Amino acid sequence: MELLGEYYNHRYGLDFRSARFPGIISATTPGGGTTDYAVQLFYDAIETGHHECFLEPDTRLPMMYISDCIQSVIQMMECPADKTVSENLQYRRVQFFTRRNCSRSSKTCSF
């Protein structure tokens, strides 16, 4: 999609903008995505005190809070066309979570 947008931008001057985000963390119940384990771990800790995860303890996955995601989209759409760049910019305000870090956090929280 990005390449098609860049083509139309160069060929026809179309103001094309796109964003590619990592896993998004929100307050809703996880829906089974790749990075949902970070949120699911806390739900499981509260409900059962136990969480099983298929990832190795130090596997790092990029995640972003929903409020940062929304703010990034707003800033991208409000940016004047002459100030945008054609490069694919990714992972603004991203944190990398590991299963080990999430497990430590869930143990230190008071539920």
Side-chain angles (χ1 to χ4, degrees):
M1 182 56 93
E2 290 95 351
L3 290 176
L4 184 61
E6 286 182 26
Y7 168 78
Y8 276 94
N9 175 266
H10 293 296
R11 174 81 187 226
Y12 303 108
L14 176 71
D15 181 8
F16 177 84
R17 301 170 192 209
S18 69
R20 188 180 297 199
F21 293 104
I24 304 298
I25 297 175
S26 68
T28 61
T29 306
T34 306
T35 54
D36 282 347
Y37 81 91
V39 178
Q40 188 65 52
L41 185 143
F42 288 99
Y43 275 95
D44 290 349
I46 292 167
E47 293 172 5
T48 67
H50 175 347
H51 177 76
E52 289 187 33
C53 182
F54 64 90
L55 295 172
E56 293 295 323
D58 293 318
T59 299
R60 296 176 60 204
L61 292 176
M63 296 184 212
M64 180 183 222
Y65 293 108
I66 187 70
S67 55
D68 292 333
C69 175
I70 293 168
Q71 187 60 37
S72 293
V73 171
I74 291 169
Q75 288 175 356
M76 179 180 69
M77 297 309 294
E78 289 178 343
C79 185
D82 63 337
K83 302 286 185 203
T84 60
V85 293
S86 62
E87 303 161 3
N88 292 329
L89 301 175
Q90 298 182 30
Y91 299 145
R92 292 185 62 211
R93 296 183 177 178
V94 170
Q95 297 193 13
F96 287 87
F97 288 84
T98 65
R99 190 181 91 193
R100 186 183 313 276
N101 289 347
C102 287
S103 293
R104 281 190 208 127
S105 296
S106 70
K107 290 175 185 168
T108 59
C109 292
S110 328
F111 295 115

